[in-house]
Amino acid sequence: MATDQLIRLFTDEDRARAFAAVALGADTPAKVGATAGLSPKDTAMALRRLQAEEVISATGAGLSVAYEHFRERAREERVIAESGTRTPDHGSGDRRAESVLRTFVRDGRLVRLPAQWQRKLVVLRHIAERTFESGVEYPEREVNEKLRAWCTDGPVDHVTLRRYLVDLGHLRRQYGFYWRPEGEGS
């Protein structure tokens, strides 16, 4: 998340108050609402957006600030500032998709798969479109090689990536050959 996105996120007073409550130790929606002085509906909306933007996380232990996410974004911005290079454009043409791709795809590699389903869909579609030409058949060995390149030094293996692509219909499979359906992502 870029700094300007973070600023926009906290321009909403309810979200800022809900975030502050979580940072101060409120670990359930009820405690957040009570601490922040928000109605249950406003609390739910604020928490949903904060979780979608990955600034807070919900685990078995309750709500908490996603400090690692902040550290990761700070590292990214520092690298960009020090290198003097612009944030890479992945060519999606969609500002929100670019934001997701900047977070999870770097230098042609998958950093990690997003936990949030909608973001995962954006990343997987991007990988399918950048890796496989529509309508061309690829033997399984070649598919594995192409997907391994995305997984280098990352926590996701090529088999998991291939399974997601097939399950979501970005790749079709028959008799050991894979292809990206015509018109998929075009």
Side-chain angles (χ1 to χ4, degrees), residues 1-14:
M1 169 180 293
T3 303
D4 61 328
Q5 290 174 292
L6 188 60
I7 291 169
R8 280 195 300 276
L9 179 66
F10 289 116
T11 57
D12 179 82
E13 185 178 345
D14 290 350

PDB file of all heavy atoms in Angstrom, residues 1-14:
ATOM      1  N   MET A   1       0.855  -1.164   0.000  1.00  0.00           N
ATOM      2  CA  MET A   1       0.000   0.000   0.000  1.00  0.00           C
ATOM      3  C   MET A   1       0.899   1.225   0.000  1.00  0.00           C
ATOM      4  O   MET A   1       1.753   1.374   0.851  1.00  0.00           O
ATOM      5  CB  MET A   1      -0.896  -0.039   1.235  1.00  0.00           C
ATOM      6  CG  MET A   1      -1.651   1.241   1.474  1.00  0.00           C
ATOM      7  SD  MET A   1      -2.683   1.170   2.937  1.00  0.00           S
ATOM      8  CE  MET A   1      -3.863  -0.026   2.422  1.00  0.00           C
ATOM      9  N   ALA A   2       0.684   2.095  -0.957  1.00  0.00           N
ATOM     10  CA  ALA A   2       1.464   3.317  -1.044  1.00  0.00           C
ATOM     11  C   ALA A   2       1.043   4.278   0.057  1.00  0.00           C
ATOM     12  O   ALA A   2      -0.058   4.180   0.612  1.00  0.00           O
ATOM     13  CB  ALA A   2       1.264   3.963  -2.413  1.00  0.00           C
ATOM     14  N   THR A   3       1.925   5.202   0.366  1.00  0.00           N
ATOM     15  CA  THR A   3       1.660   6.158   1.439  1.00  0.00           C
ATOM     16  C   THR A   3       0.372   6.923   1.200  1.00  0.00           C
ATOM     17  O   THR A   3      -0.420   7.110   2.118  1.00  0.00           O
ATOM     18  CB  THR A   3       2.847   7.133   1.564  1.00  0.00           C
ATOM     19  OG1 THR A   3       4.030   6.364   1.789  1.00  0.00           O
ATOM     20  CG2 THR A   3       2.650   8.097   2.711  1.00  0.00           C
ATOM     21  N   ASP A   4       0.131   7.358  -0.051  1.00  0.00           N
ATOM     22  CA  ASP A   4      -1.095   8.116  -0.324  1.00  0.00           C
ATOM     23  C   ASP A   4      -2.341   7.260  -0.117  1.00  0.00           C
ATOM     24  O   ASP A   4      -3.368   7.748   0.344  1.00  0.00           O
ATOM     25  CB  ASP A   4      -1.065   8.722  -1.722  1.00  0.00           C
ATOM     26  CG  ASP A   4      -0.954   7.705  -2.832  1.00  0.00           C
ATOM     27  OD1 ASP A   4      -0.328   6.656  -2.612  1.00  0.00           O
ATOM     28  OD2 ASP A   4      -1.487   7.969  -3.926  1.00  0.00           O
ATOM     29  N   GLN A   5      -2.268   5.957  -0.398  1.00  0.00           N
ATOM     30  CA  GLN A   5      -3.403   5.066  -0.145  1.00  0.00           C
ATOM     31  C   GLN A   5      -3.654   4.947   1.357  1.00  0.00           C
ATOM     32  O   GLN A   5      -4.797   4.914   1.800  1.00  0.00           O
ATOM     33  CB  GLN A   5      -3.152   3.686  -0.714  1.00  0.00           C
ATOM     34  CG  GLN A   5      -3.155   3.624  -2.215  1.00  0.00           C
ATOM     35  CD  GLN A   5      -2.755   2.245  -2.670  1.00  0.00           C
ATOM     36  OE1 GLN A   5      -1.609   1.847  -2.493  1.00  0.00           O
ATOM     37  NE2 GLN A   5      -3.694   1.527  -3.237  1.00  0.00           N
ATOM     38  N   LEU A   6      -2.575   4.857   2.108  1.00  0.00           N
ATOM     39  CA  LEU A   6      -2.683   4.755   3.561  1.00  0.00           C
ATOM     40  C   LEU A   6      -3.323   6.024   4.129  1.00  0.00           C
ATOM     41  O   LEU A   6      -4.197   5.953   4.989  1.00  0.00           O
ATOM     42  CB  LEU A   6      -1.311   4.517   4.174  1.00  0.00           C
ATOM     43  CG  LEU A   6      -1.269   4.210   5.655  1.00  0.00           C
ATOM     44  CD1 LEU A   6      -2.055   2.946   5.952  1.00  0.00           C
ATOM     45  CD2 LEU A   6       0.164   4.053   6.117  1.00  0.00           C
ATOM     46  N   ILE A   7      -2.899   7.160   3.634  1.00  0.00           N
ATOM     47  CA  ILE A   7      -3.479   8.429   4.094  1.00  0.00           C
ATOM     48  C   ILE A   7      -4.969   8.469   3.779  1.00  0.00           C
ATOM     49  O   ILE A   7      -5.787   8.827   4.626  1.00  0.00           O
ATOM     50  CB  ILE A   7      -2.731   9.623   3.467  1.00  0.00           C
ATOM     51  CG1 ILE A   7      -1.316   9.694   4.043  1.00  0.00           C
ATOM     52  CG2 ILE A   7      -3.490  10.932   3.690  1.00  0.00           C
ATOM     53  CD1 ILE A   7      -0.399  10.656   3.320  1.00  0.00           C
ATOM     54  N   ARG A   8      -5.335   8.064   2.546  1.00  0.00           N
ATOM     55  CA  ARG A   8      -6.765   8.048   2.180  1.00  0.00           C
ATOM     56  C   ARG A   8      -7.549   7.093   3.072  1.00  0.00           C
ATOM     57  O   ARG A   8      -8.685   7.366   3.436  1.00  0.00           O
ATOM     58  CB  ARG A   8      -6.927   7.669   0.711  1.00  0.00           C
ATOM     59  CG  ARG A   8      -6.673   8.820  -0.236  1.00  0.00           C
ATOM     60  CD  ARG A   8      -7.191   8.519  -1.639  1.00  0.00           C
ATOM     61  NE  ARG A   8      -6.595   7.359  -2.255  1.00  0.00           N
ATOM     62  CZ  ARG A   8      -5.445   7.351  -2.914  1.00  0.00           C
ATOM     63  NH1 ARG A   8      -4.759   8.446  -3.048  1.00  0.00           N
ATOM     64  NH2 ARG A   8      -4.992   6.246  -3.463  1.00  0.00           N
ATOM     65  N   LEU A   9      -6.940   5.966   3.429  1.00  0.00           N
ATOM     66  CA  LEU A   9      -7.616   4.988   4.289  1.00  0.00           C
ATOM     67  C   LEU A   9      -7.997   5.625   5.624  1.00  0.00           C
ATOM     68  O   LEU A   9      -9.079   5.391   6.144  1.00  0.00           O
ATOM     69  CB  LEU A   9      -6.708   3.778   4.511  1.00  0.00           C
ATOM     70  CG  LEU A   9      -7.249   2.673   5.415  1.00  0.00           C
ATOM     71  CD1 LEU A   9      -8.458   2.003   4.765  1.00  0.00           C
ATOM     72  CD2 LEU A   9      -6.160   1.648   5.697  1.00  0.00           C
ATOM     73  N   PHE A  10      -7.092   6.426   6.168  1.00  0.00           N
ATOM     74  CA  PHE A  10      -7.327   7.003   7.494  1.00  0.00           C
ATOM     75  C   PHE A  10      -7.986   8.374   7.459  1.00  0.00           C
ATOM     76  O   PHE A  10      -8.139   9.007   8.503  1.00  0.00           O
ATOM     77  CB  PHE A  10      -6.019   7.040   8.289  1.00  0.00           C
ATOM     78  CG  PHE A  10      -5.571   5.668   8.699  1.00  0.00           C
ATOM     79  CD1 PHE A  10      -4.383   5.148   8.216  1.00  0.00           C
ATOM     80  CD2 PHE A  10      -6.348   4.891   9.533  1.00  0.00           C
ATOM     81  CE1 PHE A  10      -3.975   3.875   8.581  1.00  0.00           C
ATOM     82  CE2 PHE A  10      -5.948   3.611   9.900  1.00  0.00           C
ATOM     83  CZ  PHE A  10      -4.761   3.103   9.424  1.00  0.00           C
ATOM     84  N   THR A  11      -8.429   8.844   6.290  1.00  0.00           N
ATOM     85  CA  THR A  11      -9.181  10.096   6.254  1.00  0.00           C
ATOM     86  C   THR A  11     -10.607   9.890   6.769  1.00  0.00           C
ATOM     87  O   THR A  11     -11.271  10.849   7.129  1.00  0.00           O
ATOM     88  CB  THR A  11      -9.243  10.702   4.832  1.00  0.00           C
ATOM     89  OG1 THR A  11      -9.808   9.735   3.952  1.00  0.00           O
ATOM     90  CG2 THR A  11      -7.872  11.128   4.356  1.00  0.00           C
ATOM     91  N   ASP A  12     -11.031   8.637   6.808  1.00  0.00           N
ATOM     92  CA  ASP A  12     -12.330   8.324   7.388  1.00  0.00           C
ATOM     93  C   ASP A  12     -12.160   8.201   8.900  1.00  0.00           C
ATOM     94  O   ASP A  12     -11.384   7.362   9.382  1.00  0.00           O
ATOM     95  CB  ASP A  12     -12.876   7.013   6.805  1.00  0.00           C
ATOM     96  CG  ASP A  12     -14.213   6.647   7.398  1.00  0.00           C
ATOM     97  OD1 ASP A  12     -15.233   7.178   6.933  1.00  0.00           O
ATOM     98  OD2 ASP A  12     -14.222   5.827   8.346  1.00  0.00           O
ATOM     99  N   GLU A  13     -12.877   9.025   9.654  1.00  0.00           N
ATOM    100  CA  GLU A  13     -12.715   9.074  11.110  1.00  0.00           C
ATOM    101  C   GLU A  13     -13.039   7.738  11.776  1.00  0.00           C
ATOM    102  O   GLU A  13     -12.347   7.316  12.709  1.00  0.00           O
ATOM    103  CB  GLU A  13     -13.581  10.176  11.707  1.00  0.00           C
ATOM    104  CG  GLU A  13     -13.358  10.356  13.187  1.00  0.00           C
ATOM    105  CD  GLU A  13     -14.192  11.485  13.776  1.00  0.00           C
ATOM    106  OE1 GLU A  13     -14.728  12.302  13.021  1.00  0.00           O
ATOM    107  OE2 GLU A  13     -14.297  11.509  15.009  1.00  0.00           O
ATOM    108  N   ASP A  14     -14.071   7.054  11.306  1.00  0.00           N
ATOM    109  CA  ASP A  14     -14.433   5.764  11.907  1.00  0.00           C
ATOM    110  C   ASP A  14     -13.303   4.747  11.752  1.00  0.00           C
ATOM    111  O   ASP A  14     -12.988   4.011  12.692  1.00  0.00           O
ATOM    112  CB  ASP A  14     -15.712   5.210  11.274  1.00  0.00           C
ATOM    113  CG  ASP A  14     -16.949   6.004  11.655  1.00  0.00           C
ATOM    114  OD1 ASP A  14     -16.867   6.863  12.550  1.00  0.00           O
ATOM    115  OD2 ASP A  14     -18.008   5.759  11.032  1.00  0.00           O
TER     116      ASP A  14
END
